[in-house]
Amino acid sequence: MRRNASSSESLTAPSASAFTKTAQLSAVLLLLLRASSLHRSMLHLVQINDLEDGFHVVARGFEETWNLAHDFRLSLHDNRATRWFAGKDKSWSARIGVLIDFAVGRGHREPTLGRDYGLLTELAHPTRSAAENSVTLCGVRMGIPGAEDQILAEQENCEKRITATLYRLLWLILDQDVKFIAFHWTRTTCPFRPSLSGITSTSTL
């Protein structure tokens, strides 16, 4: 098989802005596709007023996915994307502190990334507050008087989160901060295509 120095190097350290099976840009694309899919699930869940507990679980999944895509889009984090592709321990967990520092650098005085993630974590895990929320939703389904009134505020919060998450998803795709790797894909250069069994790589590496 014919090989040269540049192709050999791409197997071990692919360019961050190139599309390969283990490139940083490919990792960001995969995570953005997952975030988009989760946002669609959130939209369906919020349309039914007794599924807020399920909404919180999916919303936390979106937060984790968006945070990691943000983490991986930072140009200095190409090694983290490589570890993620290799399935290394904790490689799927974003560095929230780094993202907060980035937000501060962009002029946000009090970023809420950490607080929002912590709140969703509490509601997505089997904590007391999460269990009490589910009990209230059971009351709504059973038609217990007053139960539906208790979830109105949370229903409104979920609807607002739909808008906020869509904005954040589009921002992460479109923003061209100098610390970000560039997006330059087209239909012909994108390394993934949909298939019946999922996303299929079209890369030759």
Side-chain angles (χ1 to χ4, degrees):
M1 181 176 66
R2 185 174 60 183
R3 299 178 59 185
N4 55 46
S6 60
S7 63
S8 175
E9 290 174 359
S10 68
L11 291 173
T12 56
S15 170
S17 60
F19 277 127
T20 69
K21 287 183 178 179
T22 59
Q24 185 176 3
L25 187 58
S26 300
V28 174
L29 174 57
L30 282 173
L31 288 167
L32 288 173
L33 288 171
R34 172 169 170 76
S36 176
S37 179
L38 290 173
H39 183 271
R40 185 172 185 272
S41 298
M42 291 166 60
L43 184 60
H44 283 287
L45 287 168
V46 80
Q47 293 176 18
I48 304 175
N49 67 356
D50 62 354
L51 294 180
E52 278 89 352
D53 48 0
F55 178 91
H56 294 144
V57 174
V58 178
R60 183 178 182 272
F62 176 93
E63 289 290 320
E64 288 184 317
T65 304
W66 185 90
N67 288 342
L68 193 60
H70 187 346
D71 187 334
F72 286 179
R73 206 181 163 200
L74 294 170
S75 58
L76 296 179
H77 290 186
D78 58 310
N79 62 321
R80 288 179 47 70
T82 301
R83 294 184 70 254
W84 178 75
F85 270 116
K88 298 297 183 180
D89 187 36
K90 298 183 179 180
S91 60
W92 52 268
S93 182
R95 297 179 179 178
I96 302 297
V98 173
L99 304 186
I100 291 176
D101 290 341
F102 177 89
V104 172
R106 287 286 297 260
H108 296 278
R109 295 183 179 181
E110 297 182 357
T112 60
L113 281 173
R115 183 166 65 251
D116 289 347
Y117 182 75
L119 176 60
L120 283 174
T121 297
E122 180 180 359
L123 294 175
H125 283 81
T127 60
R128 174 181 173 179
S129 57
E132 290 175 345
N133 282 348
S134 294
V135 168
T136 302
L137 293 173
C138 289
V140 173
R141 298 176 192 121
M142 296 172 64
I144 295 178
E148 189 167 357
D149 294 338
Q150 296 184 38
I151 68 168
L152 291 179
E154 185 56 30
Q155 176 73 12
E156 183 178 349
N157 289 336
C158 291
E159 292 173 355
K160 290 179 179 178
R161 184 175 288 276
I162 288 289
T163 304
T165 52
L166 178 59
Y167 169 81
R168 290 168 59 195
L169 182 60
L170 293 174
W171 172 84
L172 190 56
I173 296 171
L174 299 175
D175 196 87
Q176 297 298 320
D177 191 280
V178 294
K179 294 182 179 180
F180 282 161
I181 58 173
F183 283 153
H184 54 75
W185 63 64
T186 64
R187 287 182 178 271
T188 57
T189 61
C190 182
F192 307 106
R193 63 170 180 265
S195 68
L196 293 178
S197 59
I199 298 297
T200 302
S201 171
T202 61
S203 172
T204 57
L205 289 179

